[in-house]
Amino acid sequence: MADQGEVRKPGEVALLFAMVYRAMTDHMHDLLAEHGREPLRPAHGYVFRYLHRTGPVTIVELAAQLDVTKQAASKTVAELVEWGYIERCPHPTDGRAQILALTKRGKEYMRLADRLWGQVEDHWAGLVGDDRLAAVRDDLKAYLDSRYGDERMKLRPVW
């Protein structure tokens, strides 16, 4: 643990956040492997979260959310369709379009991922205490609120 009197260096906090995100993701992948599940890339996770939150969407809507081209979104979706996590269905009003939705298997993966992310967070709480981790969560939310206000920041990968 850093000395409380230590002076914060410019850029240090952002770098630590990036390193912690990577460490937490590696921890998550270790837990997924213990459950015999494939370690989907973070980009897959953003697709899961978006579909879970919004329901069925078109590839164009997904690409806009991820801030990628339609082709890049299509490639990610093709992998998830092949693995049985997402299904393509006819669009109810546009015969040329399809909508994307999580399958039963995709929803089960989401539930497992949520439980395992909870274990990753519990590991952190075990190191610093529940109160301090809750304070970190509140501080992160406060920063996001100061930057984006009532507008919800897009949950998407940083490319």
Side-chain angles (χ1 to χ4, degrees), residues 72-122:
S74 293
K75 181 179 177 186
T76 300
V77 165
E79 292 172 329
L80 292 171
V81 167
E82 182 180 332
W83 297 329
Y85 293 119
I86 289 179
E87 62 186 345
R88 292 183 178 111
C89 305
H91 193 284
T93 60
D94 183 348
R96 299 168 297 152
Q98 294 181 327
I99 56 172
L100 310 168
L102 290 173
T103 62
K104 180 181 176 188
R105 179 182 164 128
K107 291 174 185 173
E108 288 170 355
Y109 197 98
M110 281 285 303
R111 285 190 292 275
L112 174 64
D114 285 345
R115 193 173 88 243
L116 297 180
W117 276 118
Q119 290 178 22
V120 171
E121 292 169 358
D122 289 347

Side-chain angles (χ1 to χ4, degrees), residues 9-156:
K9 297 173 185 84
E12 180 180 29
V13 172
L15 182 59
L16 287 170
F17 274 124
M19 293 168 66
V20 167
Y21 174 73
R22 176 59 192 256
M24 291 177 80
T25 301
D26 289 348
H27 188 174
M28 174 66 164
H29 285 175
D30 292 345
L31 294 173
L32 286 168
E34 288 174 16
H35 283 81
R37 302 304 290 265
E38 58 280 289
L40 300 179
R41 294 189 316 274
H44 294 123
Y46 292 111
V47 173
F48 273 69
R49 294 281 171 208
Y50 184 61
L51 290 176
H52 180 72
R53 189 174 70 241
T54 63
V57 299
T58 66
I59 196 74
V60 171
E61 293 167 322
L62 179 62
Q65 173 66 27
L66 297 177
D67 202 22
V68 298
T69 65
K70 181 180 167 188
Q71 292 77 13
S74 293
K75 181 179 177 186
T76 300
V77 165
E79 292 172 329
L80 292 171
V81 167
E82 182 180 332
W83 297 329
Y85 293 119
I86 289 179
E87 62 186 345
R88 292 183 178 111
C89 305
H91 193 284
T93 60
D94 183 348
R96 299 168 297 152
Q98 294 181 327
I99 56 172
L100 310 168
L102 290 173
T103 62
K104 180 181 176 188
R105 179 182 164 128
K107 291 174 185 173
E108 288 170 355
Y109 197 98
M110 281 285 303
R111 285 190 292 275
L112 174 64
D114 285 345
R115 193 173 88 243
L116 297 180
W117 276 118
Q119 290 178 22
V120 171
E121 292 169 358
D122 289 347
H123 175 78
W124 189 350
L127 297 170
V128 301
D130 287 329
D131 292 345
R132 287 191 57 197
L133 186 56
V136 168
R137 181 199 61 225
D138 293 345
D139 293 345
L140 293 173
K141 285 181 175 184
Y143 183 84
L144 291 173
D145 288 346
S146 78
R147 294 283 299 151
Y148 301 100
D150 291 336
E151 275 187 41
R152 186 71 177 178
M153 183 181 152
K154 284 184 180 181
L155 180 61
R156 60 181 172 80

